[in-house]
Amino acid sequence: MGMAGYRLTNDAGSADVAIVTTCAFLNSAVAESERIIRQLLAIKRRRPGMKLVVAGCLVQRFRTHIRQRLAGVDLFVGLDAFIDIPKLLKNGETFTASFPPSRILTSRNPRLLSTPKHYAYLKIADGCNNHCTYCLIPGIRGSLRSRPVPDIIREAEDLARAGVKEIILIAQDTTAYGLDIYCRPALSRLLRKLSNINGIHWLRLMYTHPAHITDELIDEFSSNPKLCRYIDLPIQHISNRILRRMNRHYRRDDVEHLLARLRSIPDMRIRTTLITGFPAETRKEFNELLEFIKTSRFDRLGAYAYSAEPGTIASQMRNQIPEPVKQERLKELMQVQARISRRNLQHLRGRKLTVLMDAADTGRTEWDAPEIDGVVNLPETAKTGTYITALVTNTRTYDIVGRPVRARN
Ligand code: SF4
């Protein structure tokens, strides 16, 4: 693929230019990004002609001192300027980042899929206005900036033409989509328009905010056959005191009410994310969370030990919880969830499900997002990227075992 005279390779040992796209919203992500950059700096010392470019959130987060932090990198590029990298290199620039970022990639920018060709992530907005006290993202990626509907549709049509069947909508808060440019929530309208695209069979919604789920969106789950009966709804905690300290803008009874409404949709599955060991979380509050998990029986659940990110309000709060306690609570919570997940999946035995094949012997139902949720393992092979109907013959803690009944398309 040609691009301003460059050809893409994934072999850093022979590349003229190596680009590291970084994540930096958690200390662990910073450490991982810097580990890879240092590996490339070692290659660059052996091949001094190679240019090393560091792009993305790490540059936004450490913009004032990143050049000292990572000496030897040729060019640092913030979130706005990916597309300008060839020009910046040609001009001998060493740093460019605007804060807050003002641009967002559009369908006019070339896109190379890094996912299997039958599914793709589609970014509908960037930035966030929510200001959760533990989160650096608004400080790194700026305020909400939604892409106009026609621009998203154009990109989705291109993806469909390239063979994509499942589109996964992402943003920092997908349910805030449109508030900035249309002055009202516009996600349901966008979903309806996306579902008119031929070739797209599944639309999957990630990263919603419990305070921003509208009646219209709940109706969309009931009425739009292309919208997966799956919602990623990170609640983070359930204690009112902790939710207030997190600045999450909802209370326990709001969550309970919302879950009841979502569960009234036939075959709906709910994924959530939780944080253990938020500053000043008492054992009693953690027990409240555990009990809530036991009664709510989420279908999918991810949890993280709280990470104090310098620059956040939460990192300045008193009564930070010791790391071993955070980890112990995380382990306890995931043990409870493992039992719930195992029992939830057992109810599927004997059912026939539609499965999208991600590999010859592995697929997913509409209730599973790629890479984070479970899979369907098949003893026989089927064509990657096709939908099949599978009979559930066995279930494990997070995964299903199935037998193909017939291919759908
Ligand atoms: S909604 Fe998500 S991205 Fe926005 S501030 Fe909260 S945790 Fe960060």
Side-chain angles (χ1 to χ4, degrees):
M1 180 180 153
M3 203 176 64
Y6 289 95
R7 197 167 44 82
L8 283 166
T9 173
N10 54 13
D11 176 18
S14 65
D16 297 310
V17 179
I19 302 173
V20 188
T21 309
T22 55
C23 177
F25 82 104
L26 288 176
N27 289 328
S28 53
V30 171
E32 173 72 2
S33 295
E34 293 195 340
R35 186 180 63 75
I36 290 164
I37 294 164
R38 290 187 203 291
Q39 281 172 1
L40 287 162
L41 282 168
I43 295 176
K44 186 174 153 59
R45 277 194 288 279
R46 293 195 299 277
R47 299 181 53 238
M50 183 181 100
K51 299 276 187 213
L52 178 54
V53 180
V54 172
C57 288
L58 193 72
V59 182
Q60 296 291 140
R61 177 168 173 180
F62 299 109
R63 55 195 177 275
T64 53
H65 57 285
I66 192 149
R67 278 174 281 195
Q68 294 79 3
R69 197 176 166 115
L70 291 165
V73 171
D74 296 282
L75 171 63
F76 294 97
V77 174
L79 289 164
D80 273 356
F82 280 54
I83 199 70
D84 302 326
I85 288 174
K87 189 172 78 192
L88 294 164
L89 281 173
K90 195 167 159 211
N91 295 344
E93 305 275 351
T94 57
F95 180 91
T96 180
S98 59
F99 193 83
S102 54
R103 281 203 275 168
I104 181 167
L105 289 182
T106 71
S107 61
R108 287 181 295 282
N109 301 128
R111 177 154 182 204
L112 185 77
L113 282 187
S114 57
T115 48
K117 63 182 237 190
H118 56 277
Y119 71 82
Y121 296 92
L122 180 57
K123 180 178 272 194
I124 61 171
D126 205 351
C128 184
N129 293 347
N130 294 328
H131 299 283
C132 303
T133 55
Y134 52 86
C135 180
L136 271 177
I137 285 178
I140 294 175
R141 302 193 79 102
S143 306
L144 174 71
R145 284 159 293 130
S146 303
R147 290 174 61 185
V149 168
D151 186 54
I152 298 172
I153 298 296
R154 234 185 344 258
E155 183 172 352
E157 286 169 346
D158 287 347
L159 291 169
R161 271 192 290 275
V164 166
K165 293 179 176 172
E166 175 185 7
I167 285 186
I168 303 159
L169 275 68
I170 55 168
Q172 267 72 48
D173 171 3
T174 48
T175 39
Y177 174 73
L179 286 173
D180 54 334
I181 53 173
Y182 301 122
C183 303
R184 63 186 171 86
L187 181 61
S188 306
R189 182 163 71 97
L190 176 67
L191 287 166
R192 280 194 292 280
K193 287 195 175 278
L194 285 168
S195 58
N196 289 334
I197 299 174
N198 285 335
I200 300 299
H201 298 263
W202 279 358
L203 296 167
R204 183 180 301 285
L205 190 57
M206 303 300 294
Y207 312 132
T208 66
H209 191 292
H212 300 157
I213 307 283
T214 60
D215 292 349
E216 207 187 353
L217 182 60
I218 292 178
D219 288 347
E220 201 60 29
F221 277 110
S222 306
S223 60
N224 186 334
K226 289 195 179 177
L227 182 57
C228 292
R229 303 304 186 255
Y230 169 100
I231 188 167
D232 174 40
L233 184 79
I235 62 166
Q236 311 300 9
H237 212 283
I238 202 57
S239 145
N240 284 335
R241 190 182 76 103
I242 298 290
L243 288 172
R244 198 170 53 246
R245 286 165 66 81
M246 288 178 164
N247 196 31
R248 290 292 289 174
H249 302 286
Y250 50 84
R251 296 171 53 82
R252 177 181 175 131
D253 47 6
D254 298 321
V255 175
E256 288 172 338
H257 182 62
L258 180 58
L259 291 178
R261 296 192 64 203
L262 288 167
R263 289 236 159 88
S264 70
I265 301 166
D267 261 345
M268 186 74 183
R269 296 293 189 274
I270 304 171
R271 174 185 176 81
T272 198
T273 311
L274 301 167
I275 296 174
T276 63
F278 190 78
E281 181 195 58
T282 61
R283 180 70 218 190
K284 195 167 162 219
E285 285 161 337
F286 176 68
N287 285 344
E288 182 185 350
L289 181 60
L290 270 187
E291 286 310 309
F292 182 75
I293 296 311
K294 285 179 195 166
T295 50
S296 301
R297 310 180 65 75
F298 285 96
D299 304 285
R300 313 282 182 263
L301 186 149
Y304 304 89
Y306 167 74
S307 169
E309 298 300 321
T312 59
I313 293 171
S315 71
Q316 301 298 314
M317 289 177 177
R318 281 198 248 156
N319 297 330
Q320 297 282 326
I321 307 291
E323 194 59 34
V325 177
K326 289 190 253 181
Q327 295 295 342
E328 191 48 48
R329 289 178 185 177
L330 174 63
K331 198 169 142 201
E332 208 177 322
L333 193 145
M334 290 315 291
Q335 281 169 348
V336 168
Q337 178 59 23
R339 287 196 289 277
I340 292 169
S341 177
R342 204 177 303 125
R343 263 182 261 137
N344 281 349
L345 289 185
Q346 280 168 3
H347 294 300
L348 294 175
R349 289 182 190 173
R351 250 185 92 166
K352 286 180 190 162
L353 304 175
T354 299
V355 174
L356 177 56
M357 298 305 296
D358 283 337
D361 58 358
T362 314
R364 280 177 296 114
T365 67
E366 67 172 308
W367 304 320
D368 295 291
E371 293 171 55
I372 53 170
D373 294 322
V375 296
V376 181
N377 293 120
L378 301 170
E380 307 160 38
T381 59
K383 195 168 164 222
T384 303
T386 58
Y387 287 94
I388 65 158
T389 301
L391 176 74
V392 179
T393 54
N394 201 359
T395 53
R396 303 197 174 107
T397 305
Y398 298 109
D399 297 331
I400 292 171
V401 181
R403 177 162 53 78
V405 180
R406 65 189 160 83
R408 291 184 65 224
N409 52 29

